[in-house]
Amino acid sequence: MDLDPTQRASQEQFARQSQHYGKGHILQKVEDVAAVLPELSLPHHATVLDVATGGGHTGMFFARLGHQVTLSDLTPQMLENAARGAAEEGLKVETRLHPAESMPYADGTFDLVTCRIAPHHFTSPIDFVRETARVLKPGGRFLLIDGTVEDGQPEAEAWAHQVEKLRDPSHHRLLSPNTWRDFCVHAGLTVELSKVTSFLQPDLEWYFEVAATPDYNRRQVRELVQTAPESARQLFQISTEGGKITWWWQRLTLIAHKPRHFFGS
Ligand SMILES: C[S@@+](CC[C@H](N)C(=O)[O-])C[C@H]1O[C@@H](n2cnc3c(N)ncnc32)[C@H](O)[C@@H]1O
């Protein structure tokens, strides 16, 4: 598999940290996915592709509902763990190793493509959306859930970018809702829902542990938290609770569909 330097950095980072993303990780809670299930209008036994599946939590949610699920990721260790987690639950899933930006499937294969809390690692989110549009069946849906910073907040976005890059070098960029919308429109998809909600970063020290952040970078992040600009303080509600540094990230949920008469790019 040919990988560019950003993809390689992600693969190395997640290979090292793969044991943290299974049972017990906060991503195991899939209420955010369950909340939009009615809006996906899935057929019975839908074909579902979960891109950058990590611990497999999103894909397994759909497998439990009886859908035919493919879990994909570019890190072999993550895929192995996800497959093991699915087998332990008696769920049948397929696994495929590939980057999000280049998918080994025929045009029009899936009723649903999902991608949750991962595109901020991707080298080329626009290529990922273009590939998603290609592999969706006409009428199929794309569900994207990822960290974001709302439009019109350049200072807070720059702060969040510095923090995330120091915490986890495989981080690439948090994209705003309008940027994702533009990518979808460009790829020929129709956006049906674009909603920003907040979720708690419960403890900075735990957040460092999941990414194995080096001590020097941890010090820099703590400094950034102390000196955060007012815009970031307000937007992310940075605070100290019971000795823990917490804040609220913004999370985008976007649903788009592929029109029956598709004119993709
Ligand atoms: C935080 S985990 C994903 C969480 C998961 N989607 C969930 O809902 O629990 C991020 C995953 O993205 C994968 N990843 C990062 N960059 C990628 C890329 N360019 N293509 C495919 N997978 C990628 C990593 O290997 C890792 O498994």
Side-chain angles (χ1 to χ4, degrees):
M1 192 168 51
D2 277 346
L3 299 179
D4 65 38
T6 305
Q7 292 167 335
R8 179 79 53 208
S10 276
Q11 195 188 52
E12 287 169 4
Q13 171 73 9
F14 283 99
R16 269 195 305 272
Q17 295 304 103
S18 59
Q19 76 280 7
H20 290 290
Y21 283 85
K23 282 191 187 143
H25 194 281
I26 51 172
L27 290 172
Q28 193 182 6
K29 295 186 182 145
V30 287
E31 289 94 343
D32 50 349
V33 183
V36 293
L37 184 63
E39 293 167 68
L40 299 174
S41 310
L42 289 177
H44 290 302
H45 307 300
T47 45
V48 178
L49 171 65
D50 185 33
V51 176
T53 196
H57 305 300
T58 304
M60 282 197 266
F61 169 81
F62 290 99
R64 279 180 214 117
L65 298 176
H67 298 300
Q68 191 186 320
V69 175
T70 303
L71 307 177
S72 79
D73 203 286
L74 56 56
T75 308
Q77 292 85 342
M78 294 298 267
L79 269 187
E80 283 159 24
N81 289 353
R84 195 174 316 118
E88 280 169 11
E89 269 196 53
L91 298 171
K92 262 197 178 169
V93 293
E94 226 187 278
T95 55
R96 295 290 293 267
L97 188 69
H98 63 82
E101 295 88 345
S102 164
M103 301 187 187
Y105 313 103
D107 297 2
T109 304
F110 297 101
D111 294 298
L112 174 68
V113 174
T114 58
C115 191
R116 173 172 175 254
I117 317 298
H120 57 273
H121 294 287
F122 298 171
T123 314
S124 176
I126 196 166
D127 284 343
F128 155 61
V129 177
R130 196 180 296 119
E131 278 290 82
T132 296
R134 182 182 67 74
V135 303
L136 276 176
K137 293 178 186 174
R141 285 192 163 75
F142 170 39
L143 169 62
L144 168 95
I145 300 178
D146 199 19
T148 191
V149 179
E150 64 191 49
D151 288 280
Q153 292 280 359
E155 191 178 50
E157 193 276 336
W159 180 85
H161 181 67
Q162 271 185 297
V163 167
E164 284 294 41
K165 199 77 196 164
L166 284 165
R167 186 190 74 91
D168 172 2
S170 71
H171 177 86
H172 192 57
R173 198 97 216 179
L174 295 169
L175 299 177
S176 76
N178 281 350
T179 305
W180 280 112
R181 180 181 288 275
D182 288 349
F183 289 170
C184 287
V185 170
H186 188 73
L189 298 175
T190 304
V191 176
E192 298 169 356
L193 173 84
S194 173
K195 190 170 132 190
V196 175
T197 50
S198 294
F199 75 99
L200 184 66
Q201 179 293 109
D203 175 7
L204 181 58
E205 299 307 314
W206 165 84
Y207 204 39
F208 286 147
E209 288 306 314
V210 250
T213 311
D215 284 345
Y216 179 69
N217 292 32
R218 292 183 190 210
R219 282 197 291 278
Q220 286 181 286
V221 172
R222 290 190 198 105
E223 177 72 21
L224 280 170
V225 170
Q226 294 310 322
T227 58
E230 197 48 36
S231 56
R233 268 182 198 290
Q234 288 208 359
L235 195 67
F236 303 125
Q237 303 167 55
I238 300 170
S239 75
T240 305
E241 283 169 24
K244 292 179 176 170
I245 296 173
T246 67
W247 63 79
W248 291 79
W249 282 128
Q250 297 195 308
R251 185 178 279 187
L252 172 69
T253 300
L254 180 146
I255 298 174
H257 75 264
K258 179 168 174 172
R260 298 208 177 265
H261 301 288
F262 174 67
F263 302 104
S265 57

